[in-house]
Amino acid sequence: MNILITNDDGWGTQGILTLVKTMLPLGHVTVIAPDGPRSGYGVGITVNRPMYLTRIDGSEYGLSEAEIYTTNGTPADALKLAINALYEGDEKKIDLLVSGINHGSNASVNVIYSGTMGACLVAAEHGIPAIGFSYNDHSMDIDLSYAEKYIPEITRHLLEEGMPYGICYNVNFPIGPIEGIQWTRQAMGHWEKELAPHVDEQGRTYYTLVGTYINHEPEAEDTDEYAIAHHRISITPTSLDLTAYQML
């Protein structure tokens, strides 16, 4: 099985290193990861500057079996680069895209901002099975020991379940010990008080992203937010089709 790995936190972060390690026993691993943080890029692609691929020596990270590249593009670009540049004219095809492990939850409305899930949605566009993995802690020094042992099992199970065209999976891990795995839907919610003002040395006002997440349905037991809050792994089938069918 040919496995492509990307993320939106950038190459060398703990999440992607752990994901590569857990994927190596499942097949041949190729990594195309951003050369720096690309959080919040969603399905954004690069249209106004050249993109590059730079080969990385995986042995420096104890991952000599993986074929590793960085790019100045986005996570969504990584999938397009794999298809159109790295494998161009090659019989090799991508059997699975895995993205993450993201440092921070991609549950609820976060999925629309997520570069991690953006790569999965682009894979779904191309009919490639895709799974995004995220951990509910934004720290760069996260303890993934509870989560990583579940990743191969979940990956195998979701591949067996099958992924119809236009569908990918959004998997979110709770912090700490895990008490179960739950199929979920995306919780309804929004962010408020999202920007904080500051003043720089020249007296100019600038803004940084902060915000508080508001869950519109905290008592609903079938959502991703509920599962994570109750120490369960959330698995949410996610669709490329954004049509509001109830309005037709």
Side-chain angles (χ1 to χ4, degrees):
M1 178 166 62
N2 292 314
I3 303 169
L4 178 68
I5 294 178
T6 192
N7 75 341
D8 71 3
D9 293 311
W11 172 249
T13 51
Q14 190 171 340
I16 195 169
L17 294 176
T18 300
L19 190 56
V20 174
K21 182 177 70 173
T22 59
M23 286 293 115
L24 279 171
L26 302 185
H28 175 76
V29 171
T30 301
V31 178
I32 303 181
D35 55 13
R38 301 288 191 278
S39 294
Y41 274 63
V43 293
I45 55 175
T46 300
V47 296
N48 57 2
R49 59 184 171 88
M51 285 184 287
Y52 300 91
L53 283 172
T54 303
R55 185 72 183 262
I56 299 293
D57 183 0
S59 64
E60 297 180 12
Y61 300 87
L63 301 169
S64 57
E65 298 173 62
E67 184 180 345
I68 301 170
Y69 301 84
T70 59
T71 179
N72 60 325
T74 68
D77 289 328
L79 190 280
K80 294 181 181 291
L81 284 165
I83 294 172
N84 296 287
L86 199 58
Y87 296 157
E88 186 180 18
D90 193 339
E91 293 183 357
K92 183 188 293 185
K93 67 182 181 69
I94 303 166
D95 298 304
L96 173 68
L97 169 81
V98 285
S99 189
I101 303 169
N102 191 66
H103 292 237
S105 167
N106 276 317
S108 186
V109 72
N110 294 313
V111 71
I112 69 172
Y113 299 106
S114 168
T116 297
M117 287 306 299
C120 293
L121 289 166
V122 174
E125 174 199 352
H126 290 275
I128 297 170
I131 307 169
F133 291 101
S134 303
Y135 190 78
N136 192 27
D137 186 342
H138 287 89
S139 169
M140 285 295 104
D141 184 24
I142 52 179
D143 178 8
L144 293 168
S145 59
Y146 293 108
E148 63 180 290
K149 63 183 180 180
Y150 287 93
I151 291 174
E153 173 189 345
I154 290 171
T155 299
R156 291 190 187 96
H157 179 76
L158 294 181
L159 286 172
E160 290 171 2
E161 285 279 322
M163 300 183 205
Y165 176 80
I167 302 296
C168 58
Y169 285 101
N170 183 14
V171 179
N172 285 276
F173 290 97
I175 297 173
I178 292 167
E179 298 180 8
I181 301 175
Q182 182 177 343
W183 288 95
T184 59
R185 64 175 175 86
Q186 179 184 323
M188 295 299 294
H190 76 282
W191 286 89
E192 65 178 25
K193 299 179 181 178
E194 298 177 84
L195 298 175
H198 310 272
V199 178
D200 67 15
E201 294 179 355
Q202 286 74 43
R204 298 174 299 180
T205 301
Y206 68 96
Y207 300 86
T208 57
L209 192 67
V210 287
T212 301
Y213 172 74
I214 306 298
N215 187 346
H216 294 179
E217 42 183 351
E219 303 306 318
E221 298 183 4
D222 61 343
T223 71
D224 46 14
E225 288 287 345
Y226 186 92
I228 295 167
H230 289 79
H231 311 289
R232 302 170 192 156
I233 300 169
S234 163
I235 303 179
T236 307
T238 301
S239 175
L240 187 63
D241 183 354
L242 301 180
T243 304
Y245 287 100
Q246 72 272 23
M247 303 300 293
L248 295 177

